[in-house]
Amino acid sequence: MGQRNNTHPVDTESRHIAIVGMMAVGKTTVGRFLSVRLGRPFLDLDQLMVEQTGLTVPQMFAEHGEAWFRSLEADTLEAALHGQTPSVISLGGGAVTTERCRDLLKTGAFVVWLRASPSTVLARIGDASTRPLLAKDPETTVKALDLARRDLYASVAHFAISVDRRTPRWVAGSIARRVGHSVPLLSRHAEARLASRKAQS
């Protein structure tokens, strides 16, 4: 399956922008920078779920199981997409594994796929114990997940961009240029400060 890619700027001014991709590719960080570039709110789907339940993602998996987690994830995504203000929304790496989430993304957002090689993902993961699906063998699991999910990401994506050897700020700037309506460019330090504030809010 190929993503619905487009080489020209796309009118997304009235649409949510959803960021998908494997774990550790930088969806949250890129999302914060992109929201600053576009002058719109940023929502992190995993964080919304943590705030709703009072549980961390590993705790949700451990106490309720993956099926429960995916159902809550779809409910949370649907609520976010129903928001009236166009936002930048980052999703967990496995959100695309459920048909309901894929359908919501196809109809409710302009979807950006952050692509990364398995070696990049492994280098960025850090402490694998915080990733419920990587508890036993991170390298083998990451390669298997990449193989299993790449067609799912492609099936919902309007635009794909590689993050290998690229900074989150550069990636966000490339996405902003593609969607064609970024706010005036800030200095590197001012942009970083605003992105940091979004992380703390």
Side-chain angles (χ1 to χ4, degrees):
M1 303 177 189
Q3 72 270 11
R4 298 167 286 172
N5 218 330
N6 191 323
T7 57
H8 303 288
V10 177
D11 180 14
T12 60
E13 194 162 0
S14 61
R15 303 180 67 186
H16 297 291
I17 297 175
I19 301 178
V20 302
M22 285 282 287
M23 63 187 75
V25 297
K27 298 183 295 293
T28 297
T29 304
V30 169
R32 290 191 183 114
F33 276 115
L34 182 61
S35 72
V36 171
R37 285 287 182 99
L38 301 182
R40 58 170 68 188
F42 172 70
L43 302 175
D44 180 280
L45 210 65
D46 281 353
Q47 184 58 38
L48 291 176
M49 294 163 64
V50 168
E51 292 170 2
Q52 289 177 51
T53 64
L55 300 172
T56 65
V57 171
Q59 287 172 333
M60 289 184 225
F61 271 80
E63 295 184 20
H64 299 286
E66 185 173 4
W68 180 92
F69 178 88
R70 297 301 175 200
S71 177
L72 177 62
E73 184 174 52
D75 289 343
T76 306
L77 175 60
E78 184 171 21
L81 292 175
H82 281 165
Q84 295 299 306
T85 303
S87 302
V88 175
I89 305 169
S90 69
L91 282 74
V96 296
T97 61
T98 60
E99 184 176 7
R100 184 177 165 210
C101 280
R102 293 196 301 274
D103 289 343
L104 287 166
L105 288 169
K106 289 175 184 177
T107 59
F110 178 84
V111 183
V112 179
W113 172 21
L114 303 189
R115 301 182 64 174
S117 65
S119 60
T120 294
V121 173
L122 286 164
R124 293 183 178 185
I125 281 172
D127 182 7
S129 67
T130 64
R131 310 276 183 173
L133 299 179
L134 301 184
K136 295 182 180 179
D137 186 346
E139 182 173 0
T140 299
T141 304
V142 164
K143 290 178 178 178
L145 289 174
D146 176 65
L147 184 62
R149 292 177 179 176
R150 63 179 65 163
D151 283 347
L152 299 177
Y153 294 131
S155 73
V156 299
H158 295 86
F159 172 48
I161 183 169
S162 172
V163 302
D164 291 339
R165 298 180 299 279
R166 289 167 173 167
T167 66
R169 190 174 188 268
W170 186 94
V171 173
S174 295
I175 298 169
R177 288 189 293 274
R178 174 59 62 92
V179 301
H181 57 89
S182 60
V183 297
L185 187 64
L186 300 171
S187 72
R188 182 184 301 271
H189 295 302
E191 192 172 41
R193 285 197 301 272
L194 281 173
S196 177
R197 287 177 193 167
K198 286 177 181 286
Q200 296 167 6
S201 61

